[in-house]
């Protein structure tokens, strides 16, 4: 696979992870979330995406160091197929109440898994393929966490129980 295609995949996944992190950070500070455990969960999910993004950017820098280039590449101003697909999915990780936010987050977790699966399909076996598979497993665990909160209304905050 040529460098430009790999760079596009890495940039897209990094941008998607940054968006996911920002969405969960914003969700953890909303006024209607009084449950500290839920706020902590959202903070952990945001941190997971920050770590994913960092690892992807680090891999991209390693790729760039192996390519003989006379000058430093310009920062990415456009996005590729995976990022555009992500935008078309309309993922928001938000809602007017906790239940709707969790339902939206569950849909977002499913969407990011689809994006990662498409990225993995495009890659040959190797270090990057392995990195993305590991990140995908982490995202699958995150989806299970969000789904678990939704499936256990007794553990949801009181305000949430009334909205179901």
């Amino acid at each position: 696979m040529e460098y430009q295609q790999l760079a596009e995949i890495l940039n897209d996944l990094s941008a998607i992870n940054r968006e996911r992190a920002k969405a969960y950070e914003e969700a953890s500070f909303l006024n209607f979330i009084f449950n500290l455990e839920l706020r902590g969960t959202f903070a952990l999910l945001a941190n997971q995406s920050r770590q994913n993004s960092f690892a992807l950017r680090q891999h991209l820098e390693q790729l760039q160091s192996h390519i003989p280039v006379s000058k430093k590449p310009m920062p990415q101003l456009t996005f590729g197929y995976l990022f555009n697909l992500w935008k078309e999915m309309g993922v928001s990780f938000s809602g007017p109440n906790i239940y709707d936010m969790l339902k939206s987050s569950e849909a977002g977790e499913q969407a990011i898994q689809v994006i990662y699966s498409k990225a993995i399909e495009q890659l040959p076996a190797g270090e990057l393929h392995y990195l993305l598979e590991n990140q995908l497993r982490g995202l699958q665990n995150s989806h299970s966490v969000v789904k678990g909160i939704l499936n256990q209304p007794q553990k949801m905050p009181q305000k949430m129980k009334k909205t179901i």
Side-chain angles (χ1 to χ4, degrees):
M1 178 173 266
E2 84 175 51
Y3 167 77
Q4 200 58 35
Q5 292 171 312
L6 289 175
E8 180 181 296
I9 290 170
L10 290 169
N11 279 319
D12 282 1
L13 291 176
S14 181
I16 291 167
N17 272 289
R18 286 191 308 271
E19 283 196 359
R20 179 178 176 259
K22 183 179 178 198
Y24 275 126
E25 285 168 355
E26 290 172 359
S28 72
F29 290 112
L30 289 175
N31 290 335
F32 61 79
I33 299 179
F34 300 105
N35 182 300
L36 291 179
E37 185 178 345
L38 187 57
R39 280 188 167 189
T41 299
F42 284 164
L44 287 172
L45 295 173
N47 191 49
Q48 176 191 39
S49 272
R50 280 191 298 275
Q51 290 174 350
N52 285 351
S53 181
F54 177 79
L56 294 165
R57 298 300 297 171
Q58 193 173 34
H59 194 86
L60 181 59
E61 287 176 15
Q62 289 172 351
L63 281 176
Q64 288 172 342
S65 70
H66 291 64
I67 306 264
V69 179
S70 59
K71 56 184 174 178
K72 195 166 178 107
M74 296 293 290
Q76 179 189 357
L77 301 175
T78 60
F79 296 100
Y81 167 75
L82 293 173
F83 187 81
N84 291 330
L85 182 61
W86 170 257
K87 284 304 193 184
E88 289 170 10
M89 291 177 167
V91 177
S92 69
F93 295 91
S94 63
N97 57 52
I98 298 171
Y99 179 76
D100 290 339
M101 180 184 297
L102 286 168
K103 288 300 281 182
S104 176
S105 296
E106 181 185 19
E109 294 299 327
Q110 289 171 335
I112 199 167
Q113 289 176 58
V114 167
I115 298 293
Y116 264 78
S117 294
K118 288 188 181 298
I120 290 168
E121 288 171 6
Q122 297 177 40
L123 298 173
E127 187 179 331
L128 180 55
H129 194 273
Y130 180 74
L131 172 68
L132 295 186
E133 284 180 335
N134 282 338
Q135 288 186 358
L136 176 58
R137 278 192 288 282
L139 293 167
Q140 290 166 337
N141 288 336
S142 297
H143 179 243
S144 295
V145 167
V146 171
K147 195 171 182 174
I149 295 169
L150 273 168
N151 291 335
Q152 295 181 358
Q154 69 276 11
K155 289 191 173 186
M156 291 182 199
Q158 284 302 95
K159 276 194 144 189
M160 185 179 206
K161 289 181 188 174
K162 294 175 186 172
T163 62
I164 296 177

